Amino acid sequence: MISIVTVTYNNLVGLEATASSIQSQKCTDFEWLVIDGASSDGSVEFIESFSSENSNLNIRVLSECDKGLYDAMNKGISLAERNYIIFLNAGDLFYSESTIGDVLDKLDDSKSLLVGSSVRFDAKGHEYVKKPKSVSHLKYGMFCEHQAALFETAICKGLNYNTAYKLSADYDFFIRYVNSISMDKVKILEQSICRFEHGGVSYTKRGEAVIEDALIRVRSLSIPPYKSLLISTAHLIYHRMKVMLGWLK
């Protein structure tokens, strides 16, 4: 029922953590697609060995040069053969060993987008739960974490990520995806889907990311440029305040 897509590049430690999380799942009704950007740190050798040792799991590996994160995610979409896709990139974890089983128990084939909560943790072990907001929040930003969403594969294959965006293509994808379905096709799951460490390029390059966000709102939501810039400015100020207050590192 589910295709798990993991994008990785020279992140052996993160890939090992994700592999362990996937291996621990009690339900194995999934395929795992590892999209590697021609890593040189032993990632390919690890996943090939892992696949051999876990022959009960449906694992496929593609290792070749790509044009960045979103190009690699598009490759994952093209290879996916199950009904739904979830992106769990290197270093991301499922919330618990029963996550996939719990999701399948609540799966409704009439739904095209299923979203749940996510748990972000920091180096000190602090955890922060983010519950999904209303879909209407999209005009301000992501209404859930990307790793906490399951997309209908057939729809994904008709959209793909816009690789012109280097930091916020996931935001653009969410908007176009939601615009392609009716709101009754969205289901909020009352469970946590994933755990991941705070960080990532969209956080470390927050200033650049909010500019892309502003462009996306104008292009994909037809929000006037000045309103979109006001929203992005507010996001940037709020992010900076959290860093200054020690809420983010």
Side-chain angles (χ1 to χ4, degrees):
M1 287 295 291
I2 297 176
S3 296
I4 306 167
V5 175
T6 297
V7 170
T8 185
Y9 177 64
N10 284 339
N11 186 5
L12 176 58
V13 173
L15 183 59
E16 289 174 337
T18 301
S20 178
S21 178
I22 290 173
Q23 182 186 42
S24 73
Q25 293 302 299
K26 294 179 179 179
C27 175
T28 58
D29 187 6
F30 61 83
E31 63 173 359
W32 185 26
L33 307 175
V34 181
I35 313 300
D36 175 77
S39 294
S40 58
D41 66 344
S43 291
V44 177
E45 292 78 7
F46 163 75
I47 199 60
E48 288 178 346
S49 175
F50 181 88
S51 180
S52 297
E53 294 170 2
N54 294 272
S55 57
N56 61 309
L57 300 181
N58 183 357
I59 303 173
R60 285 185 284 154
V61 182
L62 173 66
S63 182
E64 62 183 21
C65 293
D66 55 53
K67 298 176 183 178
L69 172 63
Y70 298 114
D71 178 47
M73 291 170 76
N74 283 340
K75 291 180 180 182
I77 290 174
S78 68
L79 291 174
E81 297 179 347
R82 302 296 179 93
N83 294 5
Y84 292 90
I85 296 176
I86 184 170
F87 293 94
L88 202 71
N89 291 335
D92 297 337
L93 315 170
F94 281 118
Y95 178 72
S96 73
E97 61 186 15
S98 63
T99 296
I100 291 180
D102 292 341
V103 168
L104 290 179
D105 287 342
K106 301 170 184 175
L107 200 58
D108 182 344
D109 288 344
S110 69
K111 303 300 181 182
S112 297
L113 177 62
L114 299 94
V115 298
S117 300
S118 56
V119 178
R120 174 170 52 84
F121 58 90
D122 61 26
K124 295 182 179 180
H126 302 135
E127 294 191 344
Y128 310 87
V129 178
K130 180 177 181 178
K131 294 184 177 182
K133 299 180 175 67
S134 166
V135 176
S136 62
H137 183 80
L138 264 177
K139 63 183 177 182
Y140 301 111
M142 299 279 282
F143 67 93
C144 74
E145 297 291 353
H146 201 285
Q147 305 97 316
L150 288 92
F151 305 92
E152 190 174 342
T153 302
I155 297 175
C156 289
K157 288 181 181 292
L159 292 176
N160 280 329
Y161 290 85
N162 185 344
T163 57
Y165 298 117
K166 303 305 180 185
L167 302 171
S168 298
D170 49 353
Y171 180 37
D172 171 73
F173 180 83
F174 256 92
I175 293 172
R176 291 186 291 113
Y177 190 95
V178 168
N179 284 344
S180 73
I181 63 176
S182 57
M183 289 306 96
D184 63 343
K185 294 285 189 178
V186 180
K187 183 173 184 177
I188 305 296
L189 302 176
E190 298 298 326
Q191 71 175 84
S192 292
I193 302 294
C194 64
R195 299 179 70 251
F196 65 97
E197 188 170 5
H198 174 73
V201 67
S202 63
Y203 283 95
T204 57
K205 296 185 177 181
R206 194 60 189 149
E208 297 174 44
V210 296
I211 293 174
E212 280 198 359
D213 291 349
L215 289 171
I216 289 167
R217 274 188 289 272
V218 173
R219 292 168 176 169
S220 298
L221 291 173
S222 299
I223 292 177
Y226 76 94
K227 286 187 177 180
S228 185
L229 283 173
L230 285 174
I231 294 171
S232 286
T233 300
H235 277 310
L236 190 57
I237 292 173
Y238 182 54
H239 177 81
R240 185 57 184 162
M241 284 179 62
K242 290 192 291 184
V243 172
M244 293 175 70
L245 289 170
W247 298 352
L248 295 178
K249 302 297 183 183

